[in-house]
Amino acid sequence: MKKTKTILAALVFSATAALAQNGQKFTFSGQLSDVNDSLEIWAVTVGENDFGKFAEIPCEKGKFSFTTDIAKAKSIQFFIPLAQQRANGNRMLVRGLATAIPGEHLNVEGKLEDFTLGGSKIYQDYEEVNRIFTAANKRNMKFYETYVAAIKADSTKKDEAMETMNKAYEASEAQTAAELMQFVRANGNNEVVALALNSLNVDSIPAALKLISADVKNGRMGVFIENAEQRYKTKVMKDEAKKKVAAGKEAPDFTLNDINGKPFSLSSLRGKYVVLDFWGSWCGWCIKGMPDMKKYYEKYRGKFEIVGIDCNDTEAKWKDAVKKHELPWIHVKSEKADATPQKYAVEGYPTKVILNPDGTIYKVIVGEDPQFYKELDSLLGK
């Protein structure tokens, strides 16, 4: 299925060293008219790969208040529990996106997909950006609804409807990027600009950085700006990698620690067919494909090797997943610093890279695609 784009962007932030030393109170309160019994919160702390359920808040007719200690800023998603949404017929997750900042108070009023930010000054200042994303979300929901209506009317035109929706998404992204850049130009001396910067289209980051004052860059939001700079560097690295990761090109070598903590080098498998499987325990399609992976590993045992490269997991979650799913091949863990996924231009999970015995790339397959197993049969079934 062709990959669609979405303007729904989770806001990714870090915290200053001062805030990170000790937990500070963060308060999240509000009134959401489309929420009744409870509000579920999922969160991720930048640099810690700890995305997961953060809390479930009881609500009284949509009114809630929640206070906790956090040492670092977190990107949060809040929504009616998914099972309830599905029971109500929602096929797309309706959610709100915001940032939990140590020592601050976030207040939201309205609906999940259309709320006003309030509370601490930094959230009040960010309301203009929140409006930009709310408008974009509404546009994109209409595009999706138009797509669904089109394929219901004529299922044979699914590809055409998908292409129309993708073009509409691209135009929406361009509009949002332009509006965010306007916000950056107008707020270069306000620390809130750092939050907008982390939501900006990655190609616009170098130009935006020139508009931000030295006081903001050197202040408590400086690490947020560093995150944006890293996003851009990663994008440049991926663009360069795409030129190198192609059939017939030599596969980038790497040395990563295996599941027993010992160094493993890809070059040690030279002379064998190898499959590099970029995955994570958080990736539903990765896990869904494991039974077939295990069948083929047994079917062609001795004719090839699999190297599972875990990405964006904690060490505990990685090891638990390998044990739970009884995955018998080689396992290594990629850390942020080694940038192995970037070297292979990985943009979706799972990504499987088939290598020839001479260490060159045979094929790159993104997603849990039956074509992967056809390629193995073609190569190894002789």
Side-chain angles (χ1 to χ4, degrees):
M1 179 178 180
K2 185 175 178 181
K3 181 180 179 182
T4 61
K5 295 183 178 180
T6 178
I7 202 68
L8 294 175
L11 307 181
V12 179
F13 304 118
S14 178
T16 63
L19 290 178
Q21 288 176 0
N22 297 292
Q24 294 189 35
K25 297 292 183 185
F26 165 70
T27 298
F28 182 34
S29 63
Q31 177 82 55
L32 297 170
S33 62
D34 51 350
V35 177
N36 293 316
D37 300 327
S38 64
L39 194 66
E40 195 166 307
I41 304 176
W42 285 58
V44 59
T45 304
V46 172
E48 295 185 10
N49 299 322
D50 59 353
F51 182 72
K53 188 174 180 178
F54 183 57
E56 187 162 343
I57 307 171
C59 300
E60 182 70 30
K61 295 182 180 179
K63 188 174 183 178
F64 62 91
S65 183
F66 169 72
T67 300
T68 189
D69 288 328
I70 57 174
K72 296 181 180 180
K74 295 177 179 289
S75 170
I76 61 173
Q77 302 180 14
F78 48 98
F79 48 87
I80 299 168
L82 185 58
Q84 292 183 35
Q85 292 204 41
R86 291 288 183 260
N88 293 333
N90 293 338
R91 304 313 304 167
M92 291 184 70
L93 177 64
V94 180
R95 61 182 176 171
L97 303 173
T99 305
I101 304 175
E104 304 290 356
H105 173 203
L106 167 64
N107 189 76
V108 296
E109 304 281 344
K111 295 182 178 181
L112 279 171
E113 72 273 30
D114 186 4
F115 57 83
T116 299
L117 285 174
S120 299
K121 184 179 184 301
I122 193 166
Y123 292 120
Q124 295 177 35
D125 291 346
Y126 196 71
E127 170 58 16
E128 184 177 341
V129 173
N130 183 50
R131 290 293 93 202
I132 292 172
F133 278 112
T134 297
N137 292 343
K138 288 181 177 179
R139 290 195 301 269
N140 289 348
M141 185 59 71
K142 287 183 179 179
F143 300 152
Y144 177 75
E145 290 170 352
T146 300
Y147 163 76
V148 171
I151 62 176
K152 280 185 177 179
D154 187 349
S155 61
T156 65
K157 294 185 177 181
K158 184 176 181 179
D159 289 343
E160 181 180 334
M162 179 73 75
E163 184 175 355
T164 298
M165 181 172 66
N166 283 336
K167 287 181 179 179
Y169 279 159
E170 288 173 0
S172 180
E173 284 185 339
Q175 179 180 340
T176 301
E179 291 171 350
L180 283 173
M181 277 297 292
Q182 184 176 347
F183 180 85
V184 172
R185 291 189 189 95
N187 292 276
N189 294 316
N190 186 336
E191 67 175 5
V192 74
V193 75
L195 307 188
L197 185 62
N198 279 273
S199 306
L200 195 63
N201 179 292
V202 68
D203 290 321
S204 302
I205 288 175
L209 288 172
K210 296 177 181 179
L211 302 172
I212 299 175
S213 71
D215 286 344
V216 173
K217 290 180 179 179
N218 296 326
R220 74 162 183 159
M221 309 301 276
V223 179
F224 293 36
I225 294 170
E226 291 174 9
N227 288 336
E229 292 175 329
Q230 186 57 49
R231 283 177 56 219
Y232 182 72
K233 291 177 182 178
T234 297
K235 195 261 185 184
V236 171
M237 185 184 296
K238 282 186 176 181
D239 287 346
E240 288 300 313
K242 286 178 183 178
K243 300 174 185 177
K244 301 175 182 178
V245 180
K249 298 284 188 179
E250 184 172 357
D253 196 13
F254 58 79
T255 299
L256 301 173
N257 285 342
D258 67 16
I259 204 159
N260 297 310
K262 297 180 179 180
F264 166 83
S265 296
L266 174 62
S267 55
S268 67
L269 295 178
R270 190 62 61 89
K272 295 182 179 180
Y273 283 106
V274 176
V275 171
L276 303 180
D277 179 32
F278 291 88
W279 72 293
S281 69
W282 45 268
C283 167
W285 281 105
C286 299
I287 300 303
K288 187 175 181 179
M290 290 307 180
D292 284 335
M293 288 272 284
K294 289 166 69 174
K295 288 178 184 177
Y296 267 72
Y297 189 67
E298 184 61 33
K299 181 178 180 179
Y300 293 118
R301 180 174 289 276
K303 289 189 174 183
F304 82 119
E305 187 55 78
I306 298 176
V307 179
I309 304 172
D310 179 84
C311 306
N312 305 323
D313 264 326
T314 62
E315 185 167 347
K317 288 182 178 179
W318 165 48
K319 291 183 175 180
D320 286 347
V322 171
K323 182 178 180 180
K324 176 181 178 181
H325 300 288
E326 299 179 330
L327 309 179
W329 45 81
I330 297 169
H331 291 279
V332 297
K333 189 175 190 314
S334 174
E335 301 294 349
K336 188 174 182 179
D338 64 70
T340 302
Q342 286 78 19
K343 292 174 184 175
Y344 279 86
V346 174
E347 294 185 329
Y349 293 87
T351 289
K352 297 180 175 69
V353 184
I354 304 175
L355 306 182
N356 293 308
D358 63 0
T360 58
I361 295 171
Y362 172 75
K363 183 82 73 173
V364 178
I365 299 173
V366 181
E368 187 53 31
D369 191 335
Q371 184 62 34
F372 168 69
Y373 301 101
K374 293 178 182 178
E375 297 290 351
L376 288 187
D377 284 331
S378 176
L379 277 177
L380 308 175
K382 302 172 184 178

